[in-house]
Amino acid sequence: MPKLVDQADTAPADTPYAAHNQPKDTPELRSLYDAFDAEHLIPLWKEIGDLMPMEPSSRAHPHLWRWSTIHPLAAKSGDLVPVGRGGERRAIALANPGLGGRPYATPTLWAAIQYLGPRETAPEHRHTQNAFRFVVEGEGVWTVVNGDPVAMRRGDFLLTPGWNFHGHHNDTDSPMAWIDGLDIPFVHYTDTAFFEFGPDEVSTRETPERSRAERLWCHPGMRPLSALEPMHNSPIPAYRWEHTDRALSEQLALEDEGYPATVEPGHAAVRYTNPTTGGDVMSTIRAEFHRVRAGQQTVGRREVGSAVFQVFSGEGTVTLGDAQHRVGTGDLFVVPSWTTLSVQAETDLDLFRFADTPIFERLHQDRVEVDAPDGGLS
Ligand SMILES: [Fe+2]
């Protein structure tokens, strides 16, 4: 039953959202609360501080996972645990210590390291959860999406939007690891998940340099006249590192030449987009890539919704609210909702970022606050 509160232990007067006029504990009041409890009723005045806080106060922690720790554990699981039907994937999820032991990086986002050994195959399936892969090192795996084989290489960002069949196969004698990002917690919480098994083997073992979808869609500034309708999710299966790297390098080069190109001094950034809408790549997930020059510090920024970063290369320090972490290649960290993030680059620092922002923009619940360079807010 709800904890009884009398006037002696009401919240301090400087807590503006707590009830201040609680009655004394009497047998009648106790009886009322017992009746609430028996009927599965909870009075708002006991819960409002948690239900309607003055600003977002996430249960998720701004936690860091080191690649140098999680990669050997994934490799060990490759020795001990087979991949195949049922378990489906040798994927090990980041479980935010604030989220009750669930395999959730944030309240809405799943992030996992997936490991596929030499010549192994992860069977085909499809689900309504949106998914992507980001490759921090290695190559030699092809992800087959609706029968289209897509090569996975270092620095590539690869999409598997919801309800597309997909499996993976390693065509080499070396293992490969990458990260998976999905909207599993969001879909689970909203009871909207569907899942279907496909073949135990991938539908093709072809290993082309470029997938069919890339041959159709990946030509800068052009789209095929055979596909002019807007699509909810991007038809591009792989955003290749060579393009991301060049886009960021050119922003910094233009800045050096005195032209506006970067988001702030020494900070180049791109957002991966859906070429049929100009919007985010998938309906629930935003993905970006940031490059911060050595010696630069980014301005503090906080947003509604949560994000996960992976350091692609370089070293630096990230400040997340009151917490500071030194980070290096492969490290992953969480930015909970309304937590201010600032990045200090020691070397040139490349950061991959994904977030749940499209959900909140669609619902008009999005909000962003950026520190002014003088230390105030803008
Ligand atoms: Fe999947």
Side-chain angles (χ1 to χ4, degrees), residues 88-89 114 123-127 129 131 133 160 164-168 180 182 195:
E88 297 298 294
R89 300 291 184 259
Q114 184 171 162
E124 292 202 357
H125 63 212
R126 67 177 176 176
H127 39 71
Q129 293 90 346
R133 335 274 159 215
T160 311
N164 289 290
F165 277 110
H166 55 282
H168 320 304
D180 292 331
L182 291 91
F195 187 99

Side-chain angles (χ1 to χ4, degrees), residues 29 37 48 66 90 104 111-112 127 179 183 282 330 354 367:
L29 186 67
D37 199 33
I48 190 167
R66 297 207 178 279
R90 192 186 291 110
Y104 302 160
H127 39 71
I179 65 161
D183 52 14
M282 295 186 290
F354 70 102
R367 191 182 287 214

Side-chain angles (χ1 to χ4, degrees), residues 106-110 130 182-190 192 280 282-286 303-306 355-367:
T106 83
T108 54
L109 298 172
W110 160 285
N130 290 313
L182 291 91
D183 52 14
I184 290 173
F186 174 74
V187 172
H188 181 77
Y189 188 72
T190 51
T192 51
D280 286 294
M282 295 186 290
S283 57
T284 53
I285 295 178
R286 168 165 296 173
E303 295 187 21
V304 161
S306 54
D356 54 13
T357 323
I359 298 170
F360 304 109
E361 287 188 348
R362 196 73 52 87
L363 298 174
H364 306 291
Q365 297 281 3
D366 55 308
R367 191 182 287 214

